[in-house]
Amino acid sequence: MTSVMQLLDLTTPWCVHVAITLRIADRVQAGTSNVTELAREAECDPTFLRRVLRHLVAKGVFDEPAPGEFALNDTAEQLLDEGLKLSSDLDGLGGRFAHSWGTLLEAVRTGKPAYAERFGRPFWEDLDANPKLRHAFDALMGTVGHGTPDPRLTDWETVRTVVDVGGGTGGLLAEILKAAPHLHGTLVDLPQTVAESEALFEAAGVADRVTAVAQSFFDELPAGSDCYVLASILNDWPDEEVVAILRRCAAAMNDDGRVLIRGGVSPDEHAADQLTLEAVLLGGRNRSLDEFRQFALDAGLEVAKTRESPYVVELRKPTT
Ligand SMILES: C[S@@+](CC[C@H](N)C(=O)[O-])C[C@H]1O[C@@H](n2cnc3c(N)ncnc32)[C@H](O)[C@@H]1O
């Protein structure tokens, strides 16, 4: 039987967050093992830190080979991961993520995210106002957090131009253009994020085949392309906004164009209904394929096909 007391215990998650925020694993890896030294380097209280680390040792994170001396083990080595640091650092984006869960009750009561009440403004505006957070988010969405994106979203041979709508700093678009040298691409995202794409496209060797546009995807999108990609976008938004974004794609695309949705959609209704961080950050959620059939209709489109690995839903304009 699952112990509810264990499920309720917040000690471990907070200790892991603190260890990551204070970069304890990195310091141990660099040669510091004594807790007093670790605390001096991390500018924190040695007694409190020792108790945090001993709790983590009891949970299997770090070893304590001699009293007050800490060493990495396989689990502690995971704390060296750069993506994990970005998403868990309480002094940065990880603090926004962790504290957002504290707004869950309000979100459940009202049906809306309470991020703005907690942090003073909605999530995307918060990132705009805090370039450090914005930079961390963009890095987390990029290769640091998710590795090299898989460009196999469709048969690119049948496409000439592609728009990555909310494409972040351009990592996925760069991979698509590398995989399909005949393609031209357009990146659409918010200004601070788009500003970081130039160096990425140069480094990927695709800068001469790409245009970067700083704009909202709730405004008119660059028109006349035959493919509009929405990768991990629609699960950030409530239903009304999902349909609004799809309508923008439908209005902009060629008559025989396609919209490719990757991320946030699942053929399994139960799997799609799991609670995710987007709910408390943004009021977003994952959806089932059937829900997308209705969104597509509302936007003047229809589900044309799906593909596996990665799972992609393709929408097109109705043929009749
Ligand atoms: C979850 S990230 C996904 C990024 C990228 N597509 C990927 O798969 O990594 C959502 C993206 O939507 C962008 N975004 C949010 N609101 C936007 C808006 N109104 N117009 C354009 N982009 C927006 C964010 O800047 C961010 O890059």
Side-chain angles (χ1 to χ4, degrees):
M1 186 176 61
T2 307
S3 155
V4 173
M5 285 308 285
Q6 273 177 14
L7 292 179
L8 277 169
D9 189 359
L10 298 177
T11 319
T12 306
W14 281 110
C15 285
V16 175
H17 275 89
V18 165
I20 290 173
T21 305
L22 297 177
R23 301 294 191 270
I24 300 301
D26 305 68
R27 297 178 197 287
V28 173
Q29 190 193 40
T32 309
S33 57
N34 179 268
V35 72
T36 308
E37 279 300 300
L38 286 167
R40 192 185 53 73
E41 284 182 13
E43 299 179 0
C44 67
D45 181 78
T47 307
F48 225 128
L49 179 63
R50 190 184 63 238
R51 289 158 67 202
V52 166
L53 292 181
R54 284 193 164 155
H55 175 82
L56 290 175
V57 169
K59 294 290 175 186
V61 193
F62 294 104
D63 290 334
E64 189 176 3
E69 299 290 324
F70 292 91
L72 295 180
N73 57 17
D74 287 351
T75 308
E77 276 180 12
Q78 294 175 43
L79 308 189
L80 299 167
D81 181 79
E82 294 303 323
L84 195 75
K85 288 181 217 169
L86 285 173
S87 63
S88 310
D89 184 335
L90 293 171
D91 286 337
L93 192 63
R96 293 294 203 270
F97 289 175
H99 291 293
S100 288
W101 283 114
T103 67
L104 179 62
L105 177 60
E106 214 172 327
V108 171
R109 281 198 168 127
T110 63
K112 294 194 168 66
Y115 187 97
E117 284 73 32
R118 176 72 177 75
F119 296 108
R121 24 171 112 79
F123 181 70
W124 298 118
E125 287 176 28
D126 194 25
L127 295 195
D128 272 350
N130 293 283
K132 202 179 123 197
L133 294 182
R134 175 89 245 178
H135 187 71
F137 184 83
D138 289 340
L140 186 62
M141 290 302 112
T143 47
V144 176
H146 290 102
T148 304
D150 189 338
R152 294 170 302 159
L153 308 185
T154 192
D155 171 14
W156 292 117
E157 284 310 308
T158 56
V159 175
R160 308 243 63 82
T161 54
V162 53
V163 181
D164 193 353
V165 181
T169 56
L172 173 61
L173 186 56
E175 290 306 314
I176 292 170
L177 295 180
K178 272 159 62 181
H182 67 284
L183 275 181
H184 279 73
T186 302
L187 173 73
V188 170
D189 208 292
L190 298 170
Q192 287 186 41
T193 301
V194 164
E196 302 208 16
S197 68
E198 197 179 328
L200 189 149
F201 290 134
E202 281 293 339
V206 298
D208 57 333
R209 289 189 286 130
V210 72
T211 309
V213 183
Q215 67 155 86
S216 170
F217 46 47
F218 292 109
D219 296 334
E220 241 172 72
L221 290 170
S225 266
D226 38 24
C227 184
Y228 291 75
V229 172
L230 292 163
S232 303
I233 295 298
L234 300 178
N235 52 318
D236 286 344
W237 297 94
D239 296 359
E240 207 176 307
E241 281 81 0
V242 168
V243 175
I245 295 166
L246 290 177
R247 281 203 179 116
R248 286 298 187 196
C249 293
M253 74 200 222
N254 292 340
D255 282 346
D256 61 350
R258 66 196 81 170
V259 177
L260 303 177
I261 301 166
R262 192 220 64 196
V265 52
S266 160
D268 174 348
E269 200 175 318
H270 203 266
D273 209 26
Q274 303 282 322
L275 183 66
T276 62
L277 180 63
E278 286 83 357
V280 283
L281 285 186
L282 296 150
R285 64 187 179 92
N286 294 340
R287 276 114 179 164
S288 68
L289 180 59
D290 279 345
E291 286 176 288
F292 266 97
R293 288 188 203 285
Q294 187 57 48
F295 291 143
L297 282 180
D298 294 346
L301 298 167
E302 65 185 11
V303 173
K305 61 169 123 156
T306 62
R307 86 185 286 294
E308 303 295 325
S309 304
Y311 187 68
V312 175
V313 176
E314 180 177 313
L315 312 184
R316 287 185 180 254
K317 291 185 178 168
T319 40
T320 51

